[in-house]
Amino acid sequence: MLELVALYFIFREAGRLAVEKGYSPVRWRIQAFLAWFFGEITGMFIVIAYFPNQIITMVIIGICSAYLSYLLLKQYWANLPLKLHDHD
């Protein structure tokens, strides 16, 4: 449940940043979801490999790595230039 709340705020932030930079908010929200999802899965697999049968550890590390992947994506977005629209 907390994960859904976190994703809501992340989607809102991704949309706001996309509009500020002139990019598509939908695309950035999809990128945020994919970064979150693959970060969480990667963290969970790492825990399974090194600490088998540790469910609580797996959930905590999974959520932390998902948030870390979002922060990395957010840093990437911050370094993108402003997108200028051509009005013909």
Side-chain angles (χ1 to χ4, degrees):
M1 183 65 183
L2 289 176
E3 201 168 321
L4 295 176
V5 172
L7 277 173
Y8 169 75
F9 287 112
I10 286 172
F11 281 4
R12 202 171 72 178
E13 178 73 9
R16 185 187 64 77
L17 289 172
V19 169
E20 279 181 12
K21 292 272 190 167
Y23 291 90
S24 168
V26 173
R27 181 176 176 203
W28 282 28
R29 287 178 179 145
I30 290 171
Q31 289 176 351
F33 172 76
L34 291 175
W36 182 274
F37 179 75
F38 288 117
E40 185 172 21
I41 296 299
T42 302
M44 293 171 96
F45 278 129
I46 290 170
V47 171
I48 288 172
Y50 292 106
F51 307 105
N53 301 324
Q54 297 290 324
I55 301 298
I56 300 299
T57 305
M58 182 174 60
V59 170
I60 292 170
I61 297 297
I63 291 173
C64 290
S65 63
Y67 187 67
L68 175 65
S69 67
Y70 168 71
L71 291 177
L72 292 172
L73 183 63
K74 188 175 174 183
Q75 183 63 37
Y76 168 74
W77 288 338
N79 292 330
L80 287 176
L82 291 176
K83 187 174 183 181
L84 301 175
H85 295 288
D86 294 329
H87 297 288
D88 293 329

